[in-house]
Amino acid sequence: MRIGVFGGTFDPPHVGHLLLAAMRAKRSGSTDWFSIPVWAQPFRVGTPPVASPQDRLEMVRLAVADDANYAVDDAEINRKGLSYTVDTVEHLAERFKGAQPFF
């Protein structure tokens, strides 16, 4: 099984995020996509998000609520601190044994 991973700050999530995810899903042929809001990006340490992590998580959930092909993973929000892709891939590999995450 292949699962798409779309992470980011999502501060706020917007139509551009949704269009990009839809284009990726169409090109990849995958119907399983996870939007993963980060707690904090290592490249933006000096400029924190405006919205709280919990608010950004809820906004992403609302943005994809009407599409069964998308799910929201809260692992990076729950982990807190800086979010690194390698940690997220390890989390998904543990959660979905045998799955191949792609970006």
Side-chain angles (χ1 to χ4, degrees), residues 36-88:
I36 306 174
V38 302
W39 179 272
Q41 284 201 21
F43 303 114
R44 294 186 179 177
V45 174
T47 55
V50 174
S52 73
Q54 293 77 16
D55 286 346
R56 291 184 289 110
L57 177 63
E58 186 60 26
M59 286 188 285
V60 172
R61 284 184 173 143
L62 290 169
V64 300
D66 293 336
D67 193 329
N69 295 328
Y70 296 92
V72 178
D73 189 292
D74 61 3
E76 291 191 7
I77 297 293
N78 291 334
R79 188 180 314 124
K80 300 181 181 173
L82 295 178
S83 298
Y84 294 98
T85 303
V86 66
D87 297 328
T88 303

